């Protein structure tokens, strides 16, 4: 059976899995079909939406309620509210849909724009490229209808999506939206596009939290914005998009959008390398970007489960992203790792050369603290290690306040050694925007370790969070907002 774009209702009526063998002219070009075939399907639980939500379509300034006319209802997948393709297209005048049964692709055309979604694959085709999405098109087998995340499909078609947390209302306004900020795939490093003209706008995150206007932010020292007086501005699982390269994007499509570096590649055992140079480039170090101690390592997995359990007991807030991905505690280092990599010990006499071999601001209190540790290294019996290829030190957050900036690394964020031989404190990044981080150091009274990482330009990462330079610490559990 074939279907062409004869009428919207005819096409929608046939959008049932298994009913259509082939289609006529597809919205998805051959390139899209080929790219889709290279992507593995994923499994995500699709559940019915419990609760009340009102869905409006803004037509020429008049809000028309459309959820009462929907036949298939709403669904929830990975924290995202999803709408049936048939119901959405029925509500949008001029939209057309096709089902490619051979390749299992939903094609939608509206206002001269064509987009395509393969079933159960976390990608879509937008214009001339494939981009990643966190929730793929899925079929509810009980009614044989296809569902897509409301925000993704609406914004991609050019609608502005407004969410009113108080009244539980979603309003779609045609011609007022911007294309969803998605990550092109395949990619080696995820990038984000800066939002503009955000000074006087209010935004709502996927979890329904309001990102306020700039003039609504507090300016008192130590006071940060929170949606309620008794709560923080949390990062929920629904506010985070897991990208195919292992990076994550916080608050996609808002002024707070920030994408981390991809995680380091997991290896069962870090390879050996005799070219480690504490005071200069380590050459083509094969360990850079690798990590033995992360997901898959039995001790790490046990620690992570314990941290998640503790978080739930302490915070007790369902849906927090930190439950899924806790921040690695720099003070925690299992004994068996010391035993496995004890040959990585750095000679104390080499560490004692840091104050003279590296340039630094010796008036900095943080630097003074580290220099005191080095001066008393024999007295304190501190041990230093090269843990490159053992620990994952990718950037997973960033903060910026006046005169204070901290690039947050997954496992170590105490001090940085730059490519031009400077030693700086992580809390003083703002002063060194022209520097590029070569190695990171975590110092403690018992042991310290150094990790050679892929070079990171400080200025480039600081610039990834704007919001008029008024955000602080978007990382794992919360985002602190301040003028």
């Amino acid at each position: 059976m074939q279907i062409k774009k004869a009428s919207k209702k005819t096409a929608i009526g046939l959008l049932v899995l298994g009913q259509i063998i082939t289609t006529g002219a597809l919205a998805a070009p051959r390139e899209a079909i080929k790219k889709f075939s290279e992507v593995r399907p994923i499994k995500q639980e699709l559940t019915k939406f419990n609760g009340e939500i009102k869905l409006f379509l803004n037509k020429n300034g008049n809000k028309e309620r459309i959820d009462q006319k929907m036949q298939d209802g709403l669904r929830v997948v990975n924290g995202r509210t999803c709408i049936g393709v048939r119901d959405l297209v029925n509500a949008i005048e001029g939209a057309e849909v096709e089902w490619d049964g051979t390749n299992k692709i939903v094609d939608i055309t509206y206002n001269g724009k064509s987009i395509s979604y393969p079933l159960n694959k976390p990608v879509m085709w937008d214009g001339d490229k494939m981009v990643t999405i966190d929730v793929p098109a899925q079929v509810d087998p009980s009614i044989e209808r296809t569902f897509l995340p409301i925000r993704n499909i609406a914004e991609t078609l050019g609608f502005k999506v407004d969410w009113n947390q108080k009244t539980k209302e979603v309003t779609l306004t045609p011609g007022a939206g911007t294309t969803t900020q998605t990550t092109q795939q395949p990619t080696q490093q995820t990038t984000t596009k800066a939002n503009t003209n955000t000074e006087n706008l209010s935004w709502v995150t996927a979890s329904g939290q309001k990102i306020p206007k700039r003039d609504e932010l507090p300016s008192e020292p130590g006071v940060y914005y929170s949606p309620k007086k008794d709560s923080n501005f949390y990062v929920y699982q629904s506010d985070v998009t897991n990208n195919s390269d292992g990076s994550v994007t916080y608050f996609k499509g808002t002024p707070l959008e920030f994408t981390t570096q991809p995680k380091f590649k997991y290896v069962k055992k870090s390879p050996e390398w005799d070219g480690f140079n504490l005071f200069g480039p380590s050459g083509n170090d094969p360990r850079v970007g690798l990590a033995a101690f992360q997901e898959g390592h039995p001790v790490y997995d046990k620690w992570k489960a314990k941290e998640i359990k503790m978080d739930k007991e302490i915070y007790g807030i369902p849906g927090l992203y930190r439950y899924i991905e806790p921040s690695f505690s720099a003070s925690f280092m299992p004994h068996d790792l010391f035993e496995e990599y004890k040959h990585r010990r750095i000679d104390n006499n080499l560490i004692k050369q840091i104050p003279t071999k590296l340039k630094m601001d010796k008036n900095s209190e943080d630097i003074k603290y580290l220099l005191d540790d080095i001066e008393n290294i024999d007295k304190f019996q501190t041990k230093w290690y090269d843990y490159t290829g053992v620990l994952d030190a990718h950037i997973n957050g960033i903060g910026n306040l006046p005169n204070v900036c901290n690039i947050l690394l997954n496992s170590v964020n105490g001090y940085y050694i730059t490519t031009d031989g400077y030693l700086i404190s992580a809390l003083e990044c703002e002063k060194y925007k022209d520097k590029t981080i070569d190695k990171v150091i975590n110092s403690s009274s018992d042991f310290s370790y150094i990790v050679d990482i892929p070079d990171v330009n400080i200025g480039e990462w600081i610039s990834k969070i704007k919001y008029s330079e008024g955000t602080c610490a978007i990382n794992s559990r919360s985002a602190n907002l301040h003028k």
Side-chain angles (χ1 to χ4, degrees):
M1 181 183 292
Q2 293 188 339
I3 175 174
K4 297 186 178 182
K5 298 180 180 179
S7 74
K8 178 179 65 175
K9 290 185 178 179
T10 301
I12 295 169
L14 292 174
L15 185 59
V16 179
L17 184 65
Q19 280 191 313
I20 302 174
I21 306 302
T22 63
T23 69
L26 291 174
R30 290 184 178 179
E31 182 183 3
I33 297 173
K34 181 179 182 298
K35 289 286 187 182
F36 289 161
S37 68
E38 298 170 355
V39 179
R40 290 184 177 181
I42 63 174
K43 291 185 178 180
Q44 291 183 327
E45 185 180 5
L46 183 146
T47 60
K48 287 190 175 182
F49 183 90
N50 293 320
E52 182 183 8
I53 186 172
K54 301 173 184 176
L55 186 59
F56 292 88
L57 187 63
N58 195 336
K59 294 183 178 181
N60 301 318
N62 297 317
K63 289 173 60 175
E64 177 185 327
R65 188 169 177 180
I66 59 177
D67 61 286
Q68 295 173 325
K69 302 176 183 178
M70 289 166 29
Q71 299 181 38
D72 301 330
L74 298 174
R75 301 292 184 273
V76 177
V77 180
N78 194 27
R80 293 283 194 266
T81 303
C82 299
I83 188 172
V85 175
R86 178 180 67 167
D87 284 332
L88 182 65
V89 176
N90 262 331
I92 301 175
E93 294 181 3
E96 297 182 357
V97 64
E98 292 180 348
W99 166 246
D100 175 0
T102 301
N103 299 294
K104 292 183 171 58
I105 297 172
V106 178
D107 298 321
I108 301 171
T109 303
Y110 172 71
N111 200 23
K113 183 179 180 66
S114 296
I115 57 177
S116 302
Y117 295 86
L119 282 185
N120 302 317
K121 296 185 177 183
V123 292
M124 65 172 293
W125 192 263
D126 184 3
D128 60 354
K129 62 184 181 297
M130 184 169 71
V131 294
T132 60
I133 56 178
D134 56 342
V135 173
Q138 291 196 54
V139 170
D140 184 339
S142 66
I143 60 173
E144 295 187 319
R145 298 298 184 194
T146 305
F147 287 81
L148 287 167
I150 293 177
R151 182 175 293 276
N152 173 268
I153 187 173
E155 289 184 339
T156 305
L157 290 176
F159 286 76
K160 182 175 181 290
V161 182
D162 292 308
W163 163 250
N164 189 317
Q165 171 71 11
K166 185 176 181 180
T167 61
K168 306 296 182 184
E169 294 181 3
V170 177
T171 302
L172 309 180
T173 304
T178 56
T179 300
T180 305
Q181 299 294 321
T182 48
T183 302
Q184 188 168 347
Q185 182 181 328
T187 178
Q188 294 181 342
Q189 182 167 340
T190 302
T191 58
T192 59
K193 296 181 180 179
N195 292 278
T196 59
N197 193 27
T198 61
E199 186 76 14
N200 296 309
L201 294 179
S202 289
W203 297 71
V204 176
T205 73
S207 64
Q209 296 180 100
K210 175 188 175 186
I211 299 176
K213 299 176 183 178
R214 288 281 300 133
D215 57 12
E216 295 175 342
L217 291 175
S219 56
E220 299 84 357
V223 178
Y224 300 102
Y225 172 83
S226 63
K228 302 176 182 178
K229 291 183 179 180
D230 58 348
S231 69
N232 291 324
F233 191 88
Y234 289 114
V235 178
Y236 290 93
Q237 176 67 17
S238 55
D239 294 320
V240 178
T241 302
N242 293 293
N243 301 314
S244 60
D245 63 353
S247 65
V248 300
T249 299
Y250 295 92
F251 307 116
K252 180 176 285 188
T254 76
L256 299 183
E257 181 174 312
F258 170 72
T259 299
T260 70
Q261 277 185 310
K263 291 182 180 180
F264 286 6
K265 181 180 179 181
Y266 175 66
V267 291
K268 289 186 176 181
K269 181 176 176 61
S270 176
E272 297 306 324
W273 173 251
D274 58 5
F276 180 77
N277 182 1
L278 179 60
F279 303 114
S282 297
N284 296 319
D285 192 336
R287 307 170 302 169
V288 176
L290 303 179
F293 189 62
Q294 60 179 33
E295 283 88 355
H297 192 291
V299 177
Y300 184 97
D301 291 342
K302 184 178 180 180
W303 163 82
K304 180 175 177 178
K306 180 181 178 182
E307 287 291 301
I308 291 174
K309 183 176 183 294
M310 286 177 54
D311 273 353
K312 289 185 176 181
E313 291 174 351
I314 294 172
Y315 300 112
I317 303 172
L320 281 189
Y321 180 65
R322 186 172 165 81
Y323 291 169
I324 311 299
E325 189 62 41
S327 295
F328 173 66
S329 172
S331 62
F332 167 75
M333 186 55 57
H335 181 73
D336 60 344
L337 274 186
F338 280 119
E339 289 300 312
E340 184 174 358
Y341 296 102
K342 60 184 179 182
H343 60 284
R344 296 277 192 89
R345 174 86 181 270
I346 301 175
D347 188 273
N348 282 1
N349 291 322
L350 187 63
I351 299 300
K352 291 176 184 178
Q353 296 179 38
I354 286 179
T356 56
K357 286 288 188 70
L358 296 175
K359 294 168 278 189
M360 66 195 74
D361 178 9
K362 294 186 178 181
N363 293 319
S364 163
E365 292 300 320
D366 285 335
I367 296 296
K368 286 180 182 179
Y369 182 88
L370 179 62
L371 294 182
D372 182 66
D373 274 356
I374 293 174
E375 184 179 347
N376 293 281
I377 190 172
D378 295 324
K379 177 183 175 181
F380 296 154
Q381 296 185 331
T382 306
K383 298 179 181 179
W384 287 62
Y385 295 88
D386 165 23
Y387 269 175
T388 306
V390 178
L391 299 177
D392 183 349
H394 74 278
I395 294 176
N396 72 336
I398 193 168
N400 57 335
L401 279 178
N403 303 318
V404 178
C405 182
N406 187 10
I407 292 179
L408 305 168
L409 291 148
N410 191 43
S411 58
V412 280
N413 67 327
Y415 300 89
Y416 306 144
I417 298 176
T418 65
T419 53
D420 57 351
Y422 268 83
L423 176 69
I424 64 177
S425 166
L427 294 175
E428 298 176 326
C429 286
E430 184 72 20
K431 300 178 183 178
Y432 302 96
K433 292 182 179 179
D434 62 326
K435 303 293 184 186
T436 298
I437 301 171
D438 177 48
K439 299 176 178 70
V440 292
I441 299 175
N442 188 76
S443 178
S444 73
S445 58
D446 298 321
F447 64 87
S448 297
Y449 44 82
I450 300 174
V451 180
D452 191 3
I453 66 170
D455 290 350
V456 175
N457 181 268
I458 295 174
E460 289 180 4
W461 278 93
I462 289 177
S463 68
K464 285 183 180 292
I465 288 190
K466 303 279 187 187
Y467 203 31
S468 298
E469 311 299 329
T471 62
C472 177
I474 292 182
N475 181 46
S476 187
R477 187 175 68 85
S478 62
N480 296 323
L481 309 182
H482 188 280
K483 281 185 181 176

